[in-house]
Amino acid sequence: MPDPYIDPDSQTQTAIEAMAGRLEARGADATFLQMIENYGSTLPSDRALTVLDLGCGTGVVIRQLGKMVHPESKLYGADISSKLLVEAAKFSENDEIQWDHISPGSLPYEDGMFDVVAMHTLLSHVPDPLSVLAEAQRVLKKGGKLIVFDADHVSTTYNQADYETTRRIDGILTSAITIHPDICRQLPRLFKAAGYRILDHKVDIISECGKGDFWLSSVHAFAKLMPTIDALSQGEADAWLKYMLQSHEDGTFFASGTYYTFHAESK
Ligand SMILES: C[S@@+](CC[C@H](N)C(=O)[O-])C[C@H]1O[C@@H](n2cnc3c(N)ncnc32)[C@H](O)[C@@H]1O
């Protein structure tokens, strides 16, 4: 079953609504928002920047970065999904963001145009991450900053009563929602090949024990999305949702996942 983010526009409207709803829900979560603010706060605010959010989806990241950078900065959100860009325009109060519908492959921007390119949970969803990194390197200024934030999907788990069920459902979810579940572990090699120097990296673990919040909202979204993309039957999705809701109610919930933020510089 393919990762629906490879080509969101080929999905049903129900799937698009589930995807857009999930992107906005996690973007409204305080812990998730803090991770965006953490890397946004490393950007200089004393001068105008040209910033590209590549794979912007509904625009969660570029909206947030727009609040943090110099007010005369030029902000771009680019995505291959015209349907998610329609959602992005609805959520945006900031007319200053330019939304660009792009094709996978070459970007419609001049060489050396950007001070900053951000890729927030993009690279785990693209068939050829090296070519995306190389194209971003072309449009970045020399010394320009690349920020890559992604999930280490292979470490995400939603605990069930027995380990076999946990492993089975975790495996199905991981392969259904990403084509590179281990992208964070590949990035040092890919950065080097694409002409970047790694400046630093940061790790955040979101772990919820007893009660769920961030991960519970993802359970609701994935229980809706998985049957629409034939990753889980409706019965399996309902049983998974029921178990996770019950464990949340009775105080035995456990779910955890790891996110990495990489800062790199274009050479
Ligand atoms: C998981 S979503 C992340 C959206 C947004 N960055 C966020 O975190 O809320 C991945 C996004 O990447 C987009 N995408 C997939 N392949 C792409 C490509 N080659 N170039 C640009 N965007 C792409 C998808 O359409 C989708 O909006």
Side-chain angles (χ1 to χ4, degrees), residues 90-163:
K90 281 187 211 163
F91 288 118
S92 176
E93 295 162 2
N94 182 348
D95 294 336
E96 300 306 312
I97 301 172
Q98 178 171 320
W99 304 108
D100 289 328
H101 182 215
I102 59 167
S103 305
S106 61
L107 294 171
Y109 306 118
E110 289 170 14
D111 292 2
M113 177 170 156
F114 292 98
D115 297 289
V116 180
V117 175
M119 300 178 187
H120 190 104
T121 64
L122 167 68
L123 290 179
S124 55
H125 301 287
V126 296
D128 184 358
L130 178 58
S131 72
V132 174
L133 284 168
E135 185 60 1
Q137 203 260 0
R138 179 186 69 75
V139 301
L140 267 172
K141 291 177 181 164
K142 192 172 161 54
K145 196 161 183 192
L146 174 73
I147 299 171
V148 177
F149 174 97
D150 223 311
D152 185 47
H153 291 273
V154 279
S155 53
T156 305
T157 187
Y158 300 87
N159 190 255
Q160 308 270 300
D162 67 278
Y163 184 53

Side-chain angles (χ1 to χ4, degrees), residues 7 15 19 41 107 112-113 127 153 192 219 222 236 244 260:
D7 181 13
M19 291 156 82
S41 67
L107 294 171
M113 177 170 156
H153 291 273
K192 186 172 184 197
V219 170
F222 291 146
E236 286 174 312
M244 298 310 293
Y260 283 83

Side-chain angles (χ1 to χ4, degrees), residues 4-48:
Y5 287 111
I6 293 176
D7 181 13
D9 286 0
S10 67
Q11 302 296 325
T12 62
Q13 191 54 30
T14 309
I16 286 283
E17 282 165 19
M19 291 156 82
R22 173 63 189 146
L23 294 176
E24 285 299 311
R26 75 177 188 178
D29 179 89
T31 310
F32 201 77
L33 204 52
Q34 187 61 55
M35 294 191 287
I36 300 172
E37 286 174 3
N38 286 346
Y39 64 72
S41 67
T42 67
L43 301 176
S45 55
D46 59 342
R47 63 187 165 89

Side-chain angles (χ1 to χ4, degrees), residues 43-51 64-75 94-97:
L43 301 176
S45 55
D46 59 342
R47 63 187 165 89
L49 300 175
T50 309
V51 183
Q64 193 56 30
L65 295 183
K67 294 176 195 162
M68 304 182 76
V69 294
H70 191 282
E72 284 168 27
S73 295
K74 289 188 186 152
L75 308 174
N94 182 348
D95 294 336
E96 300 306 312
I97 301 172

Side-chain angles (χ1 to χ4, degrees), residues 234-256:
Q234 191 62 54
E236 286 174 312
D238 290 345
W240 179 61
L241 176 62
K242 186 176 172 195
Y243 182 86
M244 298 310 293
L245 287 175
Q246 183 60 49
S247 63
H248 169 72
E249 284 307 315
D250 65 21
T252 61
F253 184 93
F254 181 94
S256 179

Side-chain angles (χ1 to χ4, degrees), residues 162-190:
D162 67 278
Y163 184 53
E164 282 314 310
T165 308
T166 300
R167 266 170 58 113
R168 197 174 68 79
I169 300 290
D170 285 350
I172 291 171
L173 290 171
T174 298
S175 49
I177 58 170
T178 174
I179 47 168
H180 299 294
D182 62 342
I183 189 71
C184 297
R185 304 171 189 201
Q186 297 181 33
L187 280 174
R189 179 173 54 78
L190 296 176

